[in-house]
Coordinates of all heavy atoms in Angstrom, one line a residue:
N98 N 4.4 -60.6 114.2 CA 4.2 -61.8 114.9 C 4.5 -61.6 116.4 O 3.8 -62.4 117.2 CB 5.0 -62.8 114.2 CG 4.4 -63.2 112.9 OD1 3.2 -63.3 112.6 ND2 5.4 -63.4 111.9
P104 N 8.5 -49.4 128.1 CA 7.7 -48.3 128.8 C 8.4 -46.9 128.6 O 9.5 -46.7 128.4 CB 7.9 -48.8 130.2 CG 8.1 -50.3 130.0 CD 8.9 -50.4 128.9
P114 N -9.5 -36.4 124.3 CA -9.7 -35.4 123.2 C -8.5 -35.1 122.3 O -7.3 -35.2 122.9 CB -10.2 -34.1 124.0 CG -10.7 -34.5 125.3 CD -10.0 -35.9 125.7
S130 N 17.4 -45.5 113.2 CA 17.5 -45.7 114.6 C 16.9 -44.6 115.4 O 16.7 -44.6 116.6 CB 19.0 -46.0 115.0 OG 19.7 -44.7 114.6
S156 N 16.0 -28.6 123.0 CA 16.1 -27.4 122.1 C 14.7 -27.0 121.7 O 14.5 -25.8 121.2 CB 16.9 -27.7 120.9 OG 16.4 -28.8 120.2
Q188 N 22.9 -40.5 108.0 CA 23.1 -39.3 108.7 C 21.6 -38.8 109.0 O 20.7 -39.0 108.2 CB 23.8 -38.1 107.9 CG 25.2 -38.5 107.7 CD 26.0 -38.6 109.0 OE1 25.9 -37.8 109.9 NE2 26.9 -39.7 109.1
Q232 N 0.9 -34.0 106.1 CA 1.7 -35.0 105.3 C 2.6 -34.2 104.2 O 2.1 -33.1 103.7 CB 0.8 -36.0 104.6 CG 0.2 -37.0 105.4 CD -0.5 -38.1 104.8 OE1 -0.2 -38.3 103.7 NE2 -1.4 -38.8 105.6
D234 N 4.6 -34.2 100.5 CA 4.7 -34.9 99.2 C 6.1 -34.9 98.6 O 6.9 -34.3 99.2 CB 3.6 -34.5 98.3 CG 3.8 -33.2 97.6 OD1 5.0 -32.6 97.8 OD2 3.0 -32.7 96.8
F238 N 6.0 -30.2 99.2 CA 4.8 -29.4 99.7 C 4.3 -30.2 101.0 O 4.0 -31.4 101.0 CB 3.7 -29.5 98.6 CG 4.0 -28.5 97.6 CD1 3.9 -29.0 96.2 CD2 4.3 -27.3 97.7 CE1 4.1 -28.1 95.1 CE2 4.5 -26.3 96.7 CZ 4.5 -26.8 95.4
G248 N -10.8 -31.5 118.6 CA -11.9 -32.5 118.4 C -11.9 -33.7 119.4 O -11.1 -33.7 120.4
E273 N -14.1 -25.5 101.1 CA -15.2 -24.7 101.2 C -14.9 -23.5 101.8 O -14.3 -23.6 102.9 CB -16.3 -25.4 101.8 CG -17.1 -26.5 101.0 CD -18.3 -27.0 101.7 OE1 -18.2 -27.4 102.8 OE2 -19.4 -27.1 101.1
R278 N -20.9 -21.7 104.2 CA -20.4 -23.1 104.4 C -20.8 -23.6 105.8 O -21.0 -22.7 106.7 CB -19.0 -23.2 104.3 CG -18.1 -22.4 105.3 CD -16.6 -22.5 105.1 NE -15.9 -21.9 106.2 CZ -15.6 -22.4 107.3 NH1 -15.9 -23.6 107.5 NH2 -14.8 -21.8 108.2
D289 N -1.3 -38.8 98.1 CA -0.9 -39.9 97.3 C 0.5 -39.8 97.1 O 1.1 -38.9 96.5 CB -1.7 -39.8 95.9 CG -1.5 -41.1 95.1 OD1 -0.5 -41.7 95.2 OD2 -2.5 -41.4 94.4
R306 N -25.8 -32.0 112.5 CA -25.9 -33.5 112.5 C -24.5 -34.1 112.4 O -24.5 -35.3 112.4 CB -26.8 -33.9 111.3 CG -28.3 -33.4 111.4 CD -29.1 -33.7 110.2 NE -29.1 -35.2 110.0 CZ -29.7 -35.8 109.0 NH1 -30.2 -35.1 108.0 NH2 -29.8 -37.1 108.9

Side-chain angles (χ1 to χ4, degrees):
N98 289 318
S130 64
S156 59
Q188 298 294 317
Q232 289 192 20
D234 76 2
F238 287 127
E273 282 187 311
R278 68 179 182 85
D289 191 326
R306 298 177 62 187

